Amino acid sequence: MTIFLLVVNFIIDGVIILGLFLLFTKMKGREDNLMKHQRMAREIEGTFQAYLEEIKEENKRFEQNMNMDSSPNVASPVQEIYRNRDNSQEQESIYSPPEIEENDVVEFSDETKAKQMYEEGLSIEEIAKKLGKGKTEVELIVKFGQS
């Protein structure tokens, strides 16, 4: 009976040692994954930091160019917009429409001509002949024109 208990004890001890080994292996794998994630987070943070520094430098160069380009006589873009808005309001009161030349000829589209001829009482066949279009096309123009 004692031999049986010793064998069972060794089997249980082996299972426990095997379980501890597997648990240790899993914990080691998780630590490796955690280290990889931390390293990746540091790399991403470094990349963002580099982009941020680059944008700051670009903004400084832009400000310097704006300061060098602007002189006391030149207004800022915002002031220029307001000045243009005020000038446009003044110009609106002065505005006069362009003169129409008598040589200008206004031509109506075929659709407008077809609608007008139909309203005058011409048949669809007559309108199609005058415009050089098909009867179906003229019918569609007339139908859509009535809607």
Side-chain angles (χ1 to χ4, degrees):
M1 178 80 168
T2 57
I3 294 178
F4 176 71
L5 290 174
L6 282 174
V7 171
V8 171
N9 189 22
F10 282 125
I11 292 174
I12 292 174
D13 288 343
V15 170
I16 290 174
I17 290 173
L18 181 64
L20 287 173
F21 178 74
L22 291 175
L23 187 62
F24 177 75
T25 306
K26 284 185 178 181
M27 291 299 291
K28 185 69 174 166
R30 287 188 181 175
E31 287 177 7
D32 290 342
N33 284 340
L34 181 63
M35 294 295 282
K36 287 179 186 177
H37 288 295
Q38 288 175 346
R39 184 175 50 238
M40 193 180 313
R42 282 193 302 269
E43 289 175 4
I44 290 171
E45 185 179 338
T47 303
F48 282 141
Q49 191 67 26
Y51 285 137
L52 183 63
E53 291 297 324
E54 193 174 314
I55 289 171
K56 284 181 181 178
E57 289 177 15
E58 192 173 322
N59 284 343
K60 285 180 185 177
R61 284 193 304 260
F62 179 72
E63 285 178 359
Q64 289 173 351
N65 287 340
M66 290 299 293
N67 289 338
M68 289 172 49
D69 289 345
S70 65
S71 62
N73 296 336
V74 177
S76 71
V78 174
Q79 291 172 340
E80 193 66 34
I81 290 171
Y82 284 115
R83 185 174 298 140
N84 288 342
R85 186 178 296 166
D86 294 339
N87 289 342
S88 66
Q89 290 173 352
E90 291 173 9
Q91 290 175 356
E92 286 176 6
S93 60
I94 301 173
Y95 176 77
S96 61
E99 296 180 17
I100 299 175
E101 295 180 17
E102 294 183 22
N103 298 341
D104 291 343
V105 178
V106 178
E107 279 194 34
F108 294 108
S109 66
D110 289 341
E111 289 81 11
T112 308
K113 290 177 187 176
K115 291 175 192 175
Q116 188 177 16
M117 288 181 202
Y118 186 76
E119 288 174 1
E120 292 173 359
L122 292 171
S123 68
I124 291 181
E125 291 82 15
E126 292 172 333
I127 297 171
K129 285 181 183 177
K130 286 186 177 183
L131 295 177
K133 303 240 180 229
K135 293 179 201 175
T136 310
E137 186 177 356
V138 173
E139 285 179 12
L140 288 173
I141 291 170
V142 170
K143 284 182 183 178
F144 286 125
Q146 292 175 348
S147 306

